[in-house]
């Protein structure tokens, strides 16, 4: 059985549960349809692969250029199905979590953290378009690097007017050196969607200061817990979070299918 809504389709068979949709924002940036698989569960490989053909028909009928899927690290049955249908493993992602935000005691810093404004967008977009190198879009050799850069530029631009996310700028002596796209939740969580330090300011010991300052900023706001997601390819970030007392939730795997 295949069900469809305006934004999501579902394939439900004895061997396969699959939920998938187009990704409008990435479609606009790439200039070709981009899809995502948001849920997948396979109980039997052979029948599941046959049922997966319904998704492939949808994909090919629309001329989808790129499909992404993220699975928890232990979903090997599903990962083997994806790899058997042309998907490639791109990265493992870690999910750092800091649960003791209210107990954090880092030294006060002269860095300034404040909401970004329209006047800051050009500077922040420049950082977003040049700071990322270890994300899945830059690492996949089948994708144009320019698409990845434009994607992050667009992300910070739209976050400024987002109904629930906030774009924060971090300034040092009046100059913007980093930005964070964050989202607060009613249960006391704060999620860091996107974080970056200006390339010219990297490897100068500023990263730890910025991350400490952000933790203290959230502490003053009454945040209980900070969560985020980082690529395992970004070893510097992994070490940074570990050194700041974050604990890591079970990792996840990212897969891409790309049309030649």
């Amino acid at each position: 059985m295949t069900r469809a809504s305006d934004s999501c389709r579902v394939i439900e068979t004895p061997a396969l549960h699959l939920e998938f949709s187009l990704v409008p924002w990435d479609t606009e940036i790439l200039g070709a349809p981009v899809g995502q698989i948001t849920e997948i569960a396979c109980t039997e490989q052979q029948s599941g692969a046959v049922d997966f053909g319904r998704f492939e028909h949808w994909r090919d009928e629309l001329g989808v250029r790129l499909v992404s899927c993220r699975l928890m690290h232990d979903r090997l049955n599903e990962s083997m199905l994806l790899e058997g249908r042309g998907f490639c493993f791109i990265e493992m992602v870690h999910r750092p979590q800091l649960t003791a935000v209210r107990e954090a005691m880092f030294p006060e810093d002269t860095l300034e953290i404040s909401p970004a404004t329209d006047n800051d967008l050009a500077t922040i977009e420049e950082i977003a378009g040049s700071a990322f190198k270890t994300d899945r879009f830059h690492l996949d050799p089948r994708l144009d690097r320019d698409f990845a850069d434009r994607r992050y530029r667009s992300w910070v631009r739209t976050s400024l007017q987002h109904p629930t996310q906030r774009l924060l700028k971090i300034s040092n002596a009046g100059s913007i050196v980093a930005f964070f796209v964050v989202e607060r939740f009613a249960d006391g969580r704060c999620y860091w969607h996107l974080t970056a330090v200006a390339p010219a300011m990297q490897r100068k010991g500023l990263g730890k200061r910025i991350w400490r300052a952000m933790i203290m900023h959230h502490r003053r706001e009454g945040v209980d817990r900070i969560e985020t997601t980082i690529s395992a390819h970004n070893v510097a970030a992994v070490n940074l979070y570990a050194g700041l007392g974050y604990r890591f939730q079970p990792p996840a795997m990212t897969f891409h299918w790309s049309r030649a």
Side-chain angles (χ1 to χ4, degrees):
M1 179 176 66
T2 303
R3 303 193 304 273
S5 68
D6 291 340
S7 59
C8 180
R9 289 177 174 264
V10 180
I11 295 173
E12 192 74 60
T13 73
L16 181 70
H17 172 81
L18 192 70
E19 298 181 20
F20 55 96
S21 64
L22 289 176
V23 185
W25 47 90
D26 283 342
T27 294
E28 181 179 353
I29 296 167
L30 185 61
V34 176
Q36 64 180 352
I37 294 174
T38 52
E39 295 286 345
I40 180 172
C42 178
T43 58
E44 201 279 313
Q45 284 284 330
Q46 187 171 355
S47 297
V50 174
D51 298 334
F52 196 81
R54 301 184 194 178
F55 160 77
E56 294 171 323
H57 176 75
W58 169 86
R59 178 197 69 196
D60 295 341
E61 187 175 49
L62 294 181
V64 172
R65 168 74 171 80
L66 171 68
V67 182
S68 63
C69 180
R70 183 161 286 171
L71 295 172
M72 292 306 296
H73 68 104
D74 56 353
R75 300 289 296 280
L76 299 183
N77 205 35
E78 289 74 17
S79 71
M80 286 188 284
L81 171 62
L82 291 176
E83 289 176 317
R85 307 307 298 182
F87 282 74
C88 295
F89 173 81
I90 300 297
E91 65 175 359
M92 188 75 77
V93 294
H94 294 302
R95 301 185 298 137
Q97 182 182 89
L98 184 65
T99 58
V101 177
R102 289 180 183 265
E103 287 74 47
M105 293 296 291
F106 296 120
E108 290 297 324
D109 202 296
T110 56
L111 294 171
E112 298 178 7
I113 299 171
S114 59
T117 68
D118 288 332
N119 293 334
D120 302 317
L121 267 183
T123 299
I124 295 176
E125 284 187 42
E126 180 62 28
I127 295 173
S130 58
F132 298 101
K133 303 301 178 187
T134 57
D135 63 282
R136 62 192 176 99
F137 295 101
H138 282 97
L139 290 172
D140 190 334
R142 301 166 299 177
L143 300 179
D144 187 348
R145 296 290 183 91
D146 183 59
F147 161 62
D149 293 340
R150 287 185 286 113
R151 184 178 188 272
Y152 291 112
R153 287 177 180 269
S154 176
W155 190 337
V156 298
R157 184 165 59 251
T158 57
S159 70
L160 192 61
Q161 304 300 328
H162 195 279
T164 58
Q165 297 177 11
R166 292 184 298 154
L167 177 59
L168 301 178
K169 63 180 179 180
I170 296 86
S171 303
N172 186 30
S175 298
I176 298 174
V177 295
F179 72 84
F180 279 56
V181 177
V182 307
E183 185 170 5
R184 292 278 303 276
F185 296 92
D187 62 1
R189 287 181 300 132
C190 183
Y191 192 87
W192 292 352
H193 287 280
L194 194 65
T195 66
V197 178
M201 304 305 296
Q202 294 177 10
R203 298 179 179 83
K204 296 184 177 181
L206 191 60
K208 183 176 289 187
R209 286 180 57 196
I210 292 171
W211 263 246
R212 284 178 171 176
M214 280 296 300
I215 292 170
M216 296 304 291
H217 173 78
H218 289 315
R219 181 180 185 271
R220 290 189 291 271
E221 290 184 323
V223 169
D224 294 317
R225 186 166 77 254
I226 298 172
E227 299 176 349
T228 191
T229 302
I230 57 174
S231 173
H233 294 288
N234 192 347
V235 178
V238 173
N239 288 327
L240 173 62
Y241 282 99
L244 291 173
Y246 282 73
R247 294 295 178 262
F248 292 81
Q249 304 302 299
M253 304 176 286
T254 304
F255 295 85
H256 281 175
W257 178 92
S258 181
R259 189 177 300 279

